Structures are given as structure tokens and as C-alpha cells.
Amino acid sequence: MRKNLLLYLLVALCMPTFSYAQKISAPGFKKHYKEIVSAKRATENNRTKRRNYAQPAFSQPQQYVMMAEENETKGIRLLKDSREEFYKSSNNTNIYENEYTYDKYGFFHKRQNLKLDEWQLVEYQWYVPGWKWSEKIDQWYYNNGGTYTSTTTTKRTFHPNGSVYTSTVYNDDNQVETEETYDESGNLIKKVREYETDTYQYFPLTDTWVESRYYQDSKEEWFVYDDYLKNVRSILYNGVIWVTEWIHEYYYYKDGTPSGELIADYDFEGNIRYGWGHKSTINEENGYIVKRYYEFDTDLNSWKENQKEEFSLNFDTPWIYNPSEIRTCKYYLGYTGELILEYEEVYSWITESVVKRVTTHPGYEQPYTSIRYYLVENQGLNESTDFYYDEETGNYAIAYYEYDESKDTYIDYYSYYDKAGNLLQKIRITGLTWEQWDGNKWIPCTSDITIYDGGDRIEAKFNSKGQVIQITEYDDGIFDERHDYVYIENGYEETVWEYKRNSTELYKSELNIYTFTDTENTTTYYGYYEDGIISYASRTVENIVDQYYIHYRLENDKWVESNRTVNALYEILPDGKQQMIEREFDNEGNIVNVSKSIEYYDYDTNYYYAERYSWDKATNSWIGMYKSESGNKIAPDFKVIQPAEPTYFYDEYFIPANMSGYDVSSSRVYYFNKDWNWSTEKNDWILSYNRDVEFKLDGNTLTTIETSYYNENDFDISEMKETVDNNRRLISKYISRKTSYDSDESSYLYSYDQDGRLTEKTEDYADYTHKYKYTYGEITYISEVEDVISSNNYYTVNGKTISVIGTSPAEIYNTQGLKIAVVNAGESIELPVAGVYIVTIDNNSSKVIIK
């Protein structure tokens, strides 16, 4: 049975244990491939987590400088907390009182309930020098109708550089649950669990690593891949030999940019059952840079070349004027197996700022050559500007276009210069209106004009009125087609001429007739074969006033109506909303309404408004279908500092009780939504759902009321009232909720000492009340880090701010050995919370206590 190996890998990296029986079967390779691609980012994230997990506390290579004797340091810690539970429905009152003790290093050691036989013990075995511990024991003991004891022991050993070597976890029976082994760089190299052993090999030069898994039933699987997911490979032991199960390989050029990938699925004999892939290579061959493109052929079980590009060695170098320099490139295609030259490009210098490209196309029935010129700017070719150059005169032309919103049309501009850069002529074209710039204003064109647009050319002729009468178009210097214009009352006729096949004789290919009035426009099209017979004909009459179209087809020399269409009506309402009315023709030929929508969206506030209606033919009125309004509402500027929880444990270490509370954003965002249903009785909208929020700010009190309402029998109303002191600390909070089936309310009171530490907390609920009291005290603990840098005026401490006054930067670590900041010389940093930190400067360290 095939395994969904990637999914298993992701789970295995995140979970401490995962037995062979729990593995998940894959439904097929195609789905498996999708999982590989879609999980690529997740795999990378999990690998990052694995790397972090492989660097436990105090695994930093930094060896702190320790002192021989022990110094005493003062600190503030939580000593006692008490809780009283009053049950309002009875006289039953529970009282809990916990006492906290600490080891000589200031870390949490024991919590014991003085009223109940319940306690928790944390013990560390320390090694000097170094903030390194090798054993930790957690015990919980309960005696309330029964006895239960749970013990977890972690033993650690260390490399000489201070990083963890082994970490072993034991259960209640002193049996090994997990044993991990790390190298000196902090990489996990072995992990042993009850039914499974994983080993890892790392190859730093190639960034690859191997994970081997050994299961209880002796089945084995290997994963081979690297930190950048360049290659993923599953090798399965089928009971006899190792065979590849599937691969996902990524290919890269020498500079590290991607060049392709291969995905293949194998059978148990190691043969590819299905494969998909593409890649390209870049190499220097015979004085050219050759880029080859390949596709993987499953039938041939090999790569098949289908495209090739050859570039001269100087092709991608900066464009610096060299009159004798030639750059070339060739493009080959060969999906049938043989590569054939598709086209060749040759670049050469014309002037110091102009480059000429000659493209030869040999693969067509009639091979041809095209020419294009480029301006050189900033040692590169400007490929975004249409540019034409006349080699005989040195004159050149630049073309560009602009969009005219008032006329809803594009305007083309052509400017011509002599070789000295002087403007010779400037032309603009809007439809059939040709104008030229006389130096002061735009005037109609009355003489023949030839304009150039890159490698294309257009020749135009005009009558004395300035109307264009003929346009001849050339594509890369080759005649393409000619347009003749004859002006009639209220319009004009356009005749299109093209070459007959394999001939230079012209024939009429199209005749288009356009007429315009104040109320309607008519367009008639005729298409012709080379022998003059009509190939197609159509006519469209546009009613400008009512915005509809009537379409005709030609039958027996008569125009017969084929269908009618009508535009939707658009309107911007006074409040800024856009209204659109869809219309159609009924069976009697009348224009009737179909539907109406009104919409508005504001990206800044995420506000969206929408209405939908359908037209009721019986009553000639709009019937509502859908109405909704939604968006964000931002609470008033109201900063709240929530109280810190004094008894909160973070990871394996106790957070000091004098830590600050955490801030609640002053710009909290709430989402509101309203929906309406249409009432046929009232012929109007009825609010069907209302999710809204209201704010009331009164001094140091903010009230937030959230409402979700369907009807009088289905609603949910929540109210939260927060009050802060002048230091923005939360001193009271009231929460109530009323629904269509029940109601509930609770209140919270908080008191602080002069240092901002939580001293009392009351939680008042419907059925019971909890009261908490916290007692703090100064404790003495031993500092083991020699203060060798602060005495030399490397840094100063003022409150929570550390300022580096020496000439070297400082690295700041927390008590877990994790670097939290780097402070440059002459700069300062305010640490986030009170506690113990390690400051390292020039490989010397000292411990800093922030209160």
C-alpha cells in the first residue's frame, strides 16, 4: 500500500509520537503531487519549526563568563496567592491558598496549596559555570477523593560549547518516553520514541539532510531533501531491496534561480509509472551561450529536448557604443524531435544611441525579414517605446498613445525628429481625424503623410477639407492592405483592398458604410471573395436615445431583422452609489425592464452596499430580491492595559510577578452586517438580520454593544464596559449577554500596587464569585554571571532601558538563551518586560535584572 509520505512527514514533524499504524494511505499519485505542491510552504514552515525545536533552551554556543564566588541579588517574586469561591446557590465556600518558593537562582521551585494536600514541585540541577540545567522534575499531587501523582523527568547533557547534546524525557515509571540527540550546531540528529526511531544526517555544503525511520515492524522509510526543498525523495524498503517510491526534484541554474522540476511516481520495482517535468540548462558551447529546454517523456523514461536558444557571448552585456559590435540569437523549435530554426535576430549599432535589429524568419512558406530600431538608454534597449529610424537621413520617429476619458477613445501621437533632435513634425490621430501641430495649435492634415510605427509604415492621403481619403498599411515593410474613404451625407464609405493569394493584384475584400445622425447610427458590412462575390453581409442600427440595437442579415438582396439587443442603463445616484438596470425586448418589440442593482464599495473601510430587484410585469414595479450592507467599524481611541497573570508559567520558567500587563489595541475593528427581505404586503424592505456595534466613550470608560438580531424571537445582544485608571490599567470590566433563550452577565474588578502589580482580582458570575489576592516579597537569589562589562562603562541601565555607551554593539539574551535584540554602540533599547537578561559585549557577558 502506498503511503501519503509528505502528509505523514508534516504530521511527524509536529507531533511527539506517531505510530506506523497511524500512517495515512494516498489515493493516487496525481492527488499526491497536488499535496506536494500545495504543502510546499507548509513543509518549509514545519522544517523551520523543526530547526527551532532542535535548538532547546541554553543551546547557544556563547559561553558566558562566570565568577568563582557567588553574589547575592535581590528580586521581587510572587510569594502567595489565595482564592475564595462563593457559591451563591449554597453556603458552600472553597478556600485555596498557594505558597510559592524559588531556588537560589530565582527560578520557580515549588507551589503548595496550604489548605489542600496539593502541590507542584519543579527542581533543577544546575552546572557551574553556565546557566545550564540537566534535570527537571514536575510533580502534581491531588488528594480530593483520590490520590494521583504524575512525574515527568527531563535529563540533559551538554557539548563543551554549552549546547545541548542529549535530552531524555522519562514517564511516571521512569521509562524513556523520548530521547533526542543533537550535534554541536543544535541540529537534531536522532530521536527515539516507543515504537519509532528517527535519525538525521546533515550535509552543510549541499544543504541536504536525510531522515531514516525505523518502525517496530521493521519497515523503513527514508526522506531525502534540503532546507530549500530543492529535492524531495521517498525511498521505501519493499522487504528485499530499497526502491524509490516517488520523487519531486527542483532544478536551478548556477546563480540559484529556478530552472525546472520533475515529479515522478515509481512502482515497487523502481520503474517510473508516471512522470511530469520540465527543465532548462544554460551552458557555453562553441562560442555561444546555449539555453536548452526539455520535457520529461514518461514513455521514453527520459528528457526530450523541444526548444533551444543560442546567444552570442556579448548578448546580455551592457550596451556600450562599439560600431563593430554584433549580437546574435537564434531560436529553435522541435516538438516532433528535430530542432528547426524558427527565427534569427542580429543586433548592430547604427549611431551612439540607436541599435538595429534584423530578424530573419526562414520557417514560413515565404521567408521574410523584418527590421526594428531601438533607442539605447542607461546602457540598455528601450523596448517600451515605438521607435523608427531612417538610416539614409538619420531622422527618427517616436510613437505613443493617450486615453481621452471625455471621448472614451485613444489618441495616437507620432513625433518626427532630424538627426540633431529637432522636431520636424508632430501628428495626432483620433479615429479618422488627422491633425498636425503647426507650432501653436493643432490643424487638419491636407497633404500626404507617411508615419512610421516601429517596423510598420502607414501612408495617408487627404482631400482639401483635411479628410483622409486613403490609408495604405505596411507590416515590416511589406504591403498589408489599403483603405479608401468616400464621404457621403451623414457618414462615409470605407473600401478595403488586399492582394489576391500569391499575387500582387488588388481585390476589394470589404465595403463598410457608416452613417450618423443625432438619434441613430447605422453600420453596414460587406465581405467579398477574390472573384467579387459577397461572402458575408450585416447591418446594425443603433438607437442613441434608448440605447438599443437592431441587427439585420442580407437575404435575397433584402435586409431581414435577425435580433435586437438593448444596453443596460447606468447611473451614479446622488449618494455615490452606482445603479444598473438590465433591459430586454418583449415579444411585442417593446423595451422592458428585467432587473436592477445598486452597489457601492469603499476600499478604505471595507464598506459594501448592494440591492437587487426584479421587474414585475403584472404591476409594472420593482420587487426586491436582495439587500445587504456590511463593513468595518473602528472603536474609539481607548488604550487598555490588561492585568498580567502572576501565576502564569511560560515554557519551563516562571515569569516574574512584576511583569507588565499587555496592551489591547486602541483601534479595535468590528465587523457589521445588515440583511433585508422584501415584504410584498408593505412593498418595501424589512430588516431580517442586523449585526451591528455601537460605542459609548465616557471619560475612562468605554462601552461596546454588539447586536445580532434576526427577529424578536432570535437575537443576541452583548455589552462590554471597560474602565481604566489614569495609567490605562484595567480596573473593572462588565460583560453581559442576552439572547432569545437565555441571559448571562459577569463583572471583574482589579486592584494594583504602586508598582503596577496585580494585588486583587474579583470575578463575579451568575452562580458564584471568585476572589483572588496576591502577595509579593523581596527574595534573595544568587547571581552566577560575573559583571565584567558594566563596571567598565560598557552600558547603563535606567528602569527598563539599556543604553550602550561603549564602542561595540551589545547582544541581549533572555533566560532561555535566545537572542532578543542587538543594540549598536550609542543606541538604547527598552526591554518589553521585567526579568533577568544577559548582556554580551566583545564576548564578555553580565546578568541584568530589570524590575
Side-chain angles (χ1 to χ4, degrees), residues 179-213:
E179 184 178 56
E180 298 173 340
T181 305
Y182 301 85
D183 61 20
E184 292 189 8
S185 298
N187 295 314
L188 180 66
I189 59 177
K190 186 176 181 181
K191 188 170 185 177
V192 180
R193 285 165 283 186
E194 183 177 5
Y195 299 109
E196 179 181 321
T197 300
D198 298 349
T199 63
Y200 305 87
Q201 291 177 274
Y202 300 91
F203 306 95
L205 295 180
T206 57
D207 290 327
T208 59
W209 57 282
V210 180
E211 177 183 351
S212 306
R213 296 202 164 183

Coordinates of all heavy atoms in Angstrom, one line a residue, residues 179-213:
E179 N 13.9 10.3 23.6 CA 15.3 10.7 23.7 C 15.8 11.3 22.5 O 15.7 10.8 21.4 CB 16.2 9.4 24.0 CG 17.6 9.7 24.3 CD 18.4 8.5 24.6 OE1 18.4 7.5 23.8 OE2 19.1 8.4 25.7
E180 N 16.4 12.5 22.6 CA 16.8 13.3 21.5 C 18.3 13.5 21.6 O 18.9 13.8 22.7 CB 16.1 14.6 21.4 CG 14.6 14.5 21.2 CD 13.9 15.8 21.2 OE1 14.4 16.7 21.8 OE2 12.7 15.9 20.7
T181 N 19.0 13.5 20.4 CA 20.4 13.8 20.4 C 20.7 14.9 19.4 O 20.1 14.9 18.3 CB 21.2 12.5 20.0 OG1 20.9 11.4 20.9 CG2 22.7 12.7 20.1
Y182 N 21.6 15.8 19.7 CA 21.9 17.0 18.9 C 23.4 17.1 18.6 O 24.2 16.6 19.4 CB 21.4 18.3 19.6 CG 20.0 18.3 19.9 CD1 19.5 17.7 21.1 CD2 19.1 18.9 19.1 CE1 18.1 17.7 21.4 CE2 17.7 18.9 19.4 CZ 17.3 18.4 20.6 OH 15.9 18.4 20.9
D183 N 23.7 17.6 17.5 CA 25.1 17.9 17.2 C 25.4 19.3 17.8 O 24.6 20.0 18.4 CB 25.4 17.9 15.7 CG 24.7 18.9 14.9 OD1 24.2 19.9 15.5 OD2 24.6 18.7 13.7
E184 N 26.7 19.7 17.7 CA 27.2 20.9 18.3 C 26.5 22.2 17.7 O 26.6 23.3 18.3 CB 28.7 21.0 18.3 CG 29.4 20.0 19.1 CD 30.9 20.2 19.2 OE1 31.3 21.2 18.7 OE2 31.6 19.3 19.8
S185 N 26.0 22.1 16.5 CA 25.3 23.2 15.9 C 23.8 23.3 16.3 O 23.1 24.2 15.8 CB 25.4 23.1 14.4 OG 26.8 23.1 14.0
G186 N 23.3 22.4 17.1 CA 22.0 22.4 17.6 C 21.0 21.6 16.7 O 19.8 21.7 16.9
N187 N 21.5 20.9 15.7 CA 20.7 20.1 14.8 C 20.3 18.8 15.5 O 21.2 18.1 16.0 CB 21.4 19.8 13.5 CG 21.7 21.0 12.7 OD1 20.8 21.9 12.5 ND2 22.9 21.2 12.2
L188 N 19.0 18.4 15.4 CA 18.6 17.1 15.9 C 19.1 16.0 15.0 O 18.8 16.0 13.8 CB 17.0 17.1 15.9 CG 16.4 15.9 16.4 CD1 16.7 15.6 17.9 CD2 14.9 15.9 16.2
I189 N 19.8 15.1 15.5 CA 20.4 14.0 14.7 C 19.8 12.7 15.0 O 20.0 11.7 14.3 CB 21.9 14.0 14.9 CG1 22.3 13.7 16.3 CG2 22.6 15.2 14.3 CD1 23.8 13.6 16.5
K190 N 19.1 12.6 16.2 CA 18.4 11.3 16.5 C 17.3 11.5 17.4 O 17.4 12.3 18.3 CB 19.4 10.3 17.1 CG 18.9 8.9 17.3 CD 20.0 8.0 17.8 CE 19.4 6.6 18.0 NZ 20.5 5.6 18.6
K191 N 16.2 10.8 17.2 CA 15.0 10.9 18.1 C 14.5 9.5 18.3 O 14.1 8.8 17.3 CB 14.0 11.8 17.5 CG 12.8 12.1 18.5 CD 11.9 13.2 17.9 CE 10.9 13.6 18.9 NZ 10.0 14.7 18.5
V192 N 14.4 9.1 19.5 CA 13.9 7.7 19.8 C 12.6 7.8 20.6 O 12.6 8.6 21.6 CB 15.0 6.9 20.7 CG1 14.5 5.5 21.0 CG2 16.3 6.9 19.9
R193 N 11.6 7.1 20.1 CA 10.3 7.0 20.8 C 10.0 5.5 21.0 O 10.8 4.7 20.7 CB 9.3 7.7 20.0 CG 9.4 9.2 20.1 CD 8.5 9.9 19.1 NE 9.2 9.9 17.8 CZ 8.8 10.5 16.7 NH1 7.7 11.3 16.8 NH2 9.4 10.4 15.6
E194 N 8.8 5.3 21.6 CA 8.5 3.9 22.0 C 8.5 2.9 20.8 O 9.1 1.8 20.9 CB 7.1 3.9 22.6 CG 6.7 2.5 23.2 CD 5.4 2.6 23.9 OE1 4.7 3.6 23.9 OE2 5.0 1.5 24.5
Y195 N 7.9 3.3 19.7 CA 7.8 2.4 18.6 C 8.6 2.9 17.3 O 8.4 2.3 16.3 CB 6.4 2.2 18.2 CG 5.5 1.6 19.3 CD1 4.6 2.3 19.9 CD2 5.7 0.2 19.7 CE1 3.8 1.8 20.9 CE2 4.9 -0.3 20.7 CZ 4.0 0.5 21.3 OH 3.2 -0.1 22.3
E196 N 9.4 3.9 17.5 CA 9.9 4.5 16.3 C 11.2 5.2 16.6 O 11.4 5.8 17.7 CB 8.9 5.5 15.8 CG 9.3 6.3 14.5 CD 8.2 7.3 14.1 OE1 7.0 6.9 14.3 OE2 8.6 8.4 13.7
T197 N 12.2 5.1 15.7 CA 13.4 5.8 15.9 C 13.7 6.6 14.6 O 13.7 6.0 13.5 CB 14.6 4.8 16.1 OG1 14.3 4.1 17.3 CG2 15.9 5.5 16.2
D198 N 14.0 7.9 14.7 CA 14.3 8.7 13.6 C 15.8 9.1 13.7 O 16.2 9.5 14.8 CB 13.5 10.0 13.5 CG 12.0 9.6 13.4 OD1 11.7 8.5 13.1 OD2 11.2 10.6 13.5
T199 N 16.5 9.0 12.6 CA 17.9 9.5 12.6 C 18.0 10.5 11.5 O 17.3 10.4 10.4 CB 18.9 8.4 12.4 OG1 18.7 7.8 11.1 CG2 18.8 7.4 13.5
Y200 N 18.9 11.5 11.6 CA 19.0 12.6 10.7 C 20.5 12.8 10.4 O 21.3 12.7 11.3 CB 18.5 13.9 11.2 CG 17.0 13.9 11.6 CD1 16.7 13.4 12.9 CD2 16.0 14.2 10.8 CE1 15.4 13.4 13.3 CE2 14.7 14.1 11.2 CZ 14.4 13.7 12.5 OH 13.1 13.6 12.9
Q201 N 20.8 12.9 9.1 CA 22.2 13.3 8.6 C 22.1 14.6 7.9 O 21.2 14.9 7.1 CB 22.7 12.2 7.7 CG 23.0 10.9 8.3 CD 23.4 9.9 7.3 OE1 22.6 9.2 6.7 NE2 24.7 9.8 7.1
Y202 N 23.1 15.5 8.2 CA 23.1 16.8 7.6 C 24.4 17.0 6.8 O 25.4 16.5 7.1 CB 23.1 17.9 8.7 CG 21.9 17.8 9.6 CD1 21.9 17.1 10.8 CD2 20.7 18.5 9.2 CE1 20.7 17.0 11.5 CE2 19.6 18.4 10.0 CZ 19.6 17.7 11.2 OH 18.5 17.6 12.0
F203 N 24.2 17.6 5.6 CA 25.3 17.8 4.7 C 25.4 19.3 4.5 O 24.7 19.8 3.6 CB 25.1 17.1 3.4 CG 24.9 15.6 3.6 CD1 23.6 15.1 3.7 CD2 25.9 14.7 3.8 CE1 23.3 13.7 3.9 CE2 25.7 13.4 4.0 CZ 24.4 12.9 4.1
P204 N 26.2 20.1 5.2 CA 26.2 21.5 5.2 C 26.5 22.1 3.8 O 26.0 23.1 3.4 CB 27.2 21.9 6.2 CG 27.3 20.8 7.1 CD 27.1 19.6 6.3
L205 N 27.4 21.4 3.1 CA 27.9 22.0 1.8 C 26.8 22.0 0.8 O 26.7 22.8 -0.1 CB 29.1 21.3 1.3 CG 30.4 21.4 2.1 CD1 31.5 20.6 1.5 CD2 30.8 22.8 2.3
T206 N 25.8 21.0 0.9 CA 24.7 20.9 -0.1 C 23.4 21.3 0.5 O 22.4 21.2 -0.2 CB 24.7 19.5 -0.7 OG1 24.5 18.6 0.4 CG2 26.0 19.2 -1.5
D207 N 23.4 21.6 1.8 CA 22.1 22.0 2.5 C 21.1 20.8 2.5 O 19.9 21.1 2.4 CB 21.5 23.2 1.9 CG 22.3 24.5 2.2 OD1 22.9 24.5 3.3 OD2 22.3 25.4 1.4
T208 N 21.6 19.6 2.4 CA 20.7 18.5 2.4 C 20.7 17.7 3.7 O 21.7 17.8 4.5 CB 21.0 17.5 1.3 OG1 22.3 17.0 1.4 CG2 20.9 18.2 -0.1
W209 N 19.7 16.9 4.0 CA 19.7 16.1 5.2 C 18.8 14.9 4.9 O 18.0 14.9 4.0 CB 19.2 16.9 6.4 CG 17.9 17.5 6.3 CD1 17.6 18.7 5.7 CD2 16.7 17.0 6.9 NE1 16.2 18.9 5.9 CE2 15.7 18.0 6.6 CE3 16.3 15.9 7.6 CZ2 14.3 17.8 7.0 CZ3 15.0 15.7 8.0 CH2 14.0 16.7 7.7
V210 N 19.1 13.8 5.7 CA 18.4 12.5 5.5 C 17.7 12.2 6.8 O 18.3 12.3 7.9 CB 19.4 11.4 5.1 CG1 18.7 10.1 4.9 CG2 20.2 11.8 3.8
E211 N 16.5 11.7 6.7 CA 15.8 11.3 7.9 C 15.5 9.8 7.6 O 14.9 9.4 6.7 CB 14.5 12.0 8.1 CG 13.7 11.5 9.2 CD 12.3 12.2 9.4 OE1 12.2 13.2 8.7 OE2 11.5 11.7 10.2
S212 N 15.9 8.9 8.6 CA 15.7 7.5 8.5 C 14.7 7.1 9.6 O 14.9 7.6 10.7 CB 17.0 6.7 8.7 OG 17.9 7.1 7.7
R213 N 13.7 6.3 9.3 CA 12.7 5.9 10.3 C 12.7 4.4 10.4 O 12.6 3.7 9.4 CB 11.3 6.4 9.9 CG 11.3 8.0 9.8 CD 9.9 8.5 10.0 NE 9.9 9.9 10.3 CZ 8.9 10.6 10.6 NH1 7.7 10.1 10.5 NH2 9.0 11.9 10.9

